[in-house]
């Protein structure tokens, strides 16, 4: 998992070009020197300018808004200190949304990583038409989450939905996908899994193909079965990539919005908030109730949650890494 | 980490050749079980799309009909026409094309520019600045939606495509991706030669950096296009019903016609078709892009 691949440059050629002293300036004169000195900064400026204006500034300013009475239309009101946070944290909705978010996140990330691992294992064979299979697995990735949500909310419809029809066909009770809390989480998680499993499988496949072949040969000689080799060699060697997959799916999963928003026509996370997530709650506060102050408080709390989960991930991955080096 | 390869009687010629490791070789061709399982995965991935087309090609009573028809009906065009009448679907398609094309072109251009600078030019602070770029990838900028919305309202951009386009003009991922690629793709000698010949900095970038960046630029463009096309949260917040992108139009269609699944799913199919076409044409590049990106992370 190195960042650069070794280049086979025969001579230690100077890696970088500008700013060299002597050796004939390519363009003579002040203009040439200015061009040389300023160009790199001009080239990278668009990213930094844009990031500060649409990324960093809003993120920091959110903290300021969260400390005020702030109406979407009326704008900034009185400074209220931590009142918005108190309101949000003492309300039931926040905690419901928090539990929903974590529940949907776990239901979508755990099966997804396991399935992606299994699919990557299948793709790691010497397949005929390998590109075809890889493309086939990736297909759901190009379907917009909004469209996925529409399709799945039909499949999971309480009446006449395909899933319930099949359940009844084998003599089971139909599941109330749109009123039972856990059932709705399963349905929403399945949308996330549908779209992202193949994508993650390809990422894991890439890492699998970088594992030295010799390891497998040695294990095969020792009589290890295919499954045994997968569990004892492939999975341990994939750890860094697994951690990458887990962290990116954490950041995305905790902000889940599209799927729960589109799960029914009202888009408010169920009659009783059964599948209202934190981002959905943020949207409701900010744009339905026009309370930007509290919406920002939720954003700050969500940010803290993402950082906390990220730190836990980081700690775990460091622990694993240090255990391995021992 | 590497163990000595031990020749065994079962070693085939194919295996020995694989010692080059250009393309790894797992010995024999897999049996039908592997193909069967993969086929099941692929069919499972296609099934929801097929299902939505099935429903979209009948009228809304189809769901309660027994036995359920297993072949498409002839109603798709009629449903599609209703979709076009109900919401600004045509306009949404044009908007999605405008937004996705502009954003991907811009991301490719600015990322190549910045990536070239980080990979090949020497300037004070380039190391820390690159670290900063990478660090911003971990920051979920979505959480700043409240002030970002205020900024757009202040600029009078709410309801305008510019509000969706501008925040996407260049991404940290793009800069990182191009930096990684250009480090190896551009021979330093070539840049020097161009400079000695009297080319300006930008001229050098344009004639040496840009041609070398093409494969990576194509992948970055594809990824950005898909991501922009499927993006919902921010366009939904900042665009009104009068000027939607496709995902926003789908949301409006659902709000207006929830019980009529045939209509709603016709909309879902219509919104997906352009990306399916793109996928058929360029899916191979998309696949190799994902696999490359993973190794380089």
């Amino acid at each position: 998992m190195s960042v650069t691949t070794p280049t086979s440059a025969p001579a230690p050629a100077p890696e970088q070009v500008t700013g060299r002293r002597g050796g004939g300036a390519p363009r003579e004169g002040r203009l040439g020197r200015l061009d040389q000195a300023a160009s790199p900064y001009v080239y990278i400026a668009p990213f930094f300018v844009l990031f500060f204006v649409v990324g960093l500034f809003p993120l920091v300013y959110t903290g300021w808004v969260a400390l005020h009475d702030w109406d979407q239309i009326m704008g900034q009101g009185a400074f209220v200190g931590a009142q918005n946070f108190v309101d949000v944290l003492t309300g039931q909705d926040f905690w419901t949304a928090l539990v929903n978010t974590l529940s949907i996140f776990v239901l979508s990330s755990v099966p997804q990583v396991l399935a992606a691992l299994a699919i990557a294992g299948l793709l790691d064979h010497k397949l005929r038409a390998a590109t075809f299979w890889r493309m086939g697995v990736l297909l759901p990735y190009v379907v917009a989450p909004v469209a996925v949500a529409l399709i799945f909310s039909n499949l999971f419809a309480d009446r006449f939905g395909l899933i319930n029809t099949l359940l009844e066909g084998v003599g089971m009770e139909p599941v109330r996908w749109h009123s039972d809390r856990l059932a709705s989480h399963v349905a929403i998680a399945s949308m996330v899994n549908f779209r992202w499993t193949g994508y993650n499988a390809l990422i894991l496949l890439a890492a699998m193909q970088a594992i030295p072949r010799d390891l497998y040969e040695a294990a095969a000689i020792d009589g290890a079965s295919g499954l045994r080799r997968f569990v004892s060699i492939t999975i341990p060697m994939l750890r860094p990539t697994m951690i990458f997959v887990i962290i990116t799916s954490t950041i995305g999963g905790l902000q889940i919005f599209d799927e729960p928003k589109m799960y029914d026509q009202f888009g408010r996370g169920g009659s009783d908030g059964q599948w209202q997530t934190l981002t959905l709650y943020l949207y409701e506060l900010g744009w339905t109730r026009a309370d930007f102050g509290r919406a920002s408080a939720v954003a700050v709390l969500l940010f803290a949650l993402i950082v906390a989960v990220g730190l836990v991930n980081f700690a775990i991955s460091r622990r694993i890494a240090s255990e391995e080096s021992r | 980490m590497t163990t000595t390869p031990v020749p065994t009687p079962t070693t085939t010629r194919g295996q020995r050749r694989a010692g080059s490791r250009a393309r790894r070789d797992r010995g024999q061709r897999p049996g039908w079980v592997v193909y069967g399982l993969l086929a099941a995965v692929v069919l499972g991935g296609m099934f929801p799309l097929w299902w939505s087309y099935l429903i979209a090609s009948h009228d809304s009573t189809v769901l309660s009909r027994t036995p359920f028809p297993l072949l498409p009906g002839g109603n798709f065009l009629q449903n599609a026409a209703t979709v076009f009448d109900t919401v600004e679907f045509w306009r949404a398609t044009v908007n999605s094309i405008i937004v996705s094309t502009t954003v991907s072109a811009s991301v490719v251009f600015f990322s190549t520019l910045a990536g070239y600078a980080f990979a090949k030019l020497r300037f004070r602070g380039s190391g820390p600045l690159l670290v900063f770029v990478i660090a911003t990838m971990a920051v979920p900028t979505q959480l700043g939606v409240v002030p970002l919305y205020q900024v757009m309202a202040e600029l009078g951009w709410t309801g305008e495509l510019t509000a969706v386009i501008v925040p996407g003009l260049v991404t940290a991922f793009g800069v990182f991706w191009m930096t990684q690629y250009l480090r190896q793709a551009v021979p330093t000698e070539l840049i020097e030669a161009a400079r000695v010949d009297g080319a300006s900095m930008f001229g050098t970038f344009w004639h040496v950096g840009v041609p070398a960046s093409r494969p990576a630029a194509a992948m970055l463009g594809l990824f950005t296009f898909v991501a922009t096309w499927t993006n919902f949260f921010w366009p939904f917040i900042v665009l009104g019903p009068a000027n939607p992108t496709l995902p926003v139009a789908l949301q409006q269609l659902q709000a207006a016609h929830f019980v009529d699944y045939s209509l709603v799913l016709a909309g879902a199919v219509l919104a997906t078709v352009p990306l399916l076409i793109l996928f058929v044409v360029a899916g191979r590049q998309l696949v190799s892009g994902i696999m490359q990106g993973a190794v380089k992370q």
Side-chain angles (χ1 to χ4, degrees):
Chain A
M1 300 304 287
S2 69
V3 173
T4 49
T5 40
T7 45
S8 52
E15 250 305 301
Q16 282 155 326
V17 181
T18 44
R20 60 193 175 151
R21 318 235 177 258
R27 258 195 168 186
E28 305 300 333
R30 250 207 336 232
L31 209 62
R33 273 202 301 278
L34 182 69
D35 182 21
Q36 198 162 310
S39 284
Y41 296 103
V42 175
Y43 295 177
I44 64 170
F47 169 78
F48 286 93
V49 171
L50 196 71
F51 176 74
F52 280 109
V53 175
V54 303
L56 197 60
F57 164 73
L59 207 61
V60 173
Y61 201 66
T62 299
W64 180 248
V65 177
L67 298 174
H68 290 79
D69 243 343
W70 204 302
D71 185 273
Q72 189 200 330
I73 314 290
M74 313 298 287
Q76 183 173 3
F79 181 88
V80 293
Q83 192 56 45
N84 285 323
F85 291 93
V86 172
D87 291 346
V88 165
L89 289 171
T90 51
Q92 186 54 47
D93 291 355
F94 175 81
W95 300 102
T96 310
L98 178 66
V99 172
N100 290 347
T101 306
L102 292 174
S103 160
I104 293 172
F105 167 61
V106 170
L107 285 170
S108 57
S109 57
V110 176
Q112 188 184 129
V113 171
L114 293 178
L117 204 52
I119 294 170
L122 290 173
L123 289 171
D124 197 28
H125 288 90
K126 191 187 171 197
L127 295 167
R128 287 178 202 281
T131 309
F132 167 80
W133 294 110
R134 290 175 188 173
M135 278 176 67
V137 162
L138 187 64
L139 177 71
Y141 171 70
V142 301
V143 185
V146 166
V148 174
L150 289 180
I151 296 167
F152 275 66
S153 70
N154 172 272
L155 292 174
F156 284 103
D158 293 354
R159 295 178 65 223
F160 309 126
L162 178 68
I163 310 276
N164 271 350
T165 309
L166 291 177
L167 286 179
E168 286 173 276
V170 296
M172 289 168 71
E173 283 291 301
V175 176
R176 299 185 306 157
W177 298 107
H178 283 77
S179 42
D180 277 3
R181 197 172 178 199
L182 186 63
S184 69
H185 294 185
V186 170
I188 290 166
S190 72
M191 304 173 195
V192 182
N193 293 333
F194 170 76
R195 186 158 189 262
W196 290 104
T197 302
Y199 179 91
N200 285 326
L202 290 181
I203 289 183
L204 291 170
L205 173 65
M208 274 181 197
Q209 303 214 316
I211 299 174
R213 171 104 183 94
D214 314 356
L215 290 179
Y216 292 99
E217 284 175 1
I221 290 158
D222 291 346
S225 68
L227 186 67
R228 182 61 207 261
R229 278 175 276 167
F230 190 72
V231 172
S232 301
I233 300 175
T234 311
I235 292 181
M237 296 289 287
L238 284 182
R239 252 177 212 157
T241 315
M242 297 273 281
I243 290 164
F244 165 76
V245 167
I246 290 166
I247 289 177
T248 49
S249 74
T250 304
I251 294 174
L254 293 178
Q255 298 182 70
I256 186 169
F257 178 81
D258 303 8
E259 291 88 351
K261 172 82 189 165
M262 301 294 287
Y263 189 50
D264 70 6
Q265 79 269 43
F266 307 112
R268 294 169 57 185
S271 53
D272 207 18
Q274 295 97 315
W275 63 87
Q276 186 176 56
T277 59
L278 284 172
T279 323
L280 214 48
Y281 182 47
L282 187 161
Y283 174 79
E284 190 195 309
L285 286 176
W287 281 270
T288 310
R289 301 196 211 162
D291 189 343
F292 271 5
R294 281 187 208 173
S296 295
V298 172
V300 171
L301 291 168
L302 183 53
F303 184 57
L305 177 72
I306 290 173
V307 170
V309 174
L311 287 177
V312 171
N313 273 336
F314 183 68
I316 292 172
S317 57
R318 268 205 17 183
R319 184 106 171 254
I320 292 170
S322 64
E323 264 168 26
E324 270 196 343
S325 65
R326 226 173 272 149
Chain B
M1 223 176 45
T2 38
T3 46
T4 337
V6 185
T8 61
T10 53
T11 310
T12 62
R13 246 179 62 215
Q15 271 178 319
R16 236 178 279 126
R17 254 189 290 130
S20 70
R21 279 196 214 117
R23 183 135 313 269
R24 275 210 304 76
D25 179 332
R26 282 286 152 82
Q28 300 119 338
R29 295 263 179 191
W32 63 270
V33 179
V34 168
Y35 286 107
L37 288 171
L38 276 175
V41 170
V42 173
L43 288 175
M46 280 159 57
F47 177 75
L49 289 175
W50 169 248
W51 175 260
S52 54
Y53 177 70
L54 203 61
I55 302 222
S57 63
H58 287 92
D59 61 60
S60 55
T61 61
V62 67
L63 282 164
S64 50
R65 214 180 293 160
T66 40
F68 187 85
L70 291 172
L71 288 174
N75 254 6
F76 184 76
L77 290 180
Q78 201 182 320
N79 285 331
T82 316
V83 168
F84 278 93
D85 287 343
T86 312
V87 291
E88 296 270 6
F89 212 84
W90 176 240
R91 180 170 196 146
T93 309
V94 174
N95 281 349
S96 276
I97 292 172
I98 294 173
V99 169
S100 301
T101 313
T102 319
V103 168
S104 15
S106 155
V107 164
V108 166
F109 177 73
F110 285 123
S111 302
T112 310
L113 204 56
Y116 174 82
F118 279 124
K120 289 291 158 185
L121 306 182
R122 183 191 294 171
F123 54 98
R124 200 179 288 270
S126 70
L129 286 172
L130 183 59
V131 170
F132 182 83
V133 171
I134 294 169
T136 63
M137 283 200 281
V139 181
T141 49
Q142 262 208 6
L143 296 182
V145 279
V146 169
L148 189 58
Y149 181 83
Q150 290 172 307
V151 170
M152 295 303 165
E154 201 68 37
L155 292 168
W157 284 357
T158 42
E160 303 288 329
L161 292 185
T162 37
V164 179
I165 292 172
V166 169
L169 285 177
V170 54
T171 60
F173 172 78
V175 174
F176 174 65
W177 173 265
M178 294 312 296
T179 305
Q180 290 303 104
Y181 186 82
L182 287 173
R183 277 221 172 100
Q184 298 137 42
V186 182
T188 305
E189 296 80 1
L190 213 56
I191 298 178
E192 280 182 336
R195 300 282 293 142
V196 169
D197 286 351
S200 67
M201 292 292 279
F202 190 79
T204 313
F205 163 75
W206 195 250
H207 294 292
V208 178
V210 168
S213 70
R214 259 183 208 143
M219 282 170 198
L220 180 61
L222 269 176
F223 272 106
T224 313
F225 195 92
V226 173
T228 313
W229 189 278
T230 56
N231 191 17
F232 175 61
F233 185 55
W234 176 242
F236 171 70
I237 284 178
V238 83
L239 294 177
N243 200 21
T245 57
L246 274 174
V248 180
L250 279 185
Q251 191 274 333
Q252 294 161 4
L253 184 68
Q254 185 206 30
H257 275 290
F258 183 68
V259 282
D260 196 335
Y261 272 118
S262 296
L263 276 188
V264 172
L265 292 183
V269 171
L270 286 172
T272 307
V273 164
L275 278 193
L276 285 182
I277 295 172
L278 182 73
F279 185 69
V280 169
V281 174
R284 186 183 289 264
Q285 275 80 5
L286 206 61
V287 166
S288 58
I290 289 174
M291 299 205 26
Q292 247 190 43
V295 177
K296 282 187 176 162
Q297 288 291 340

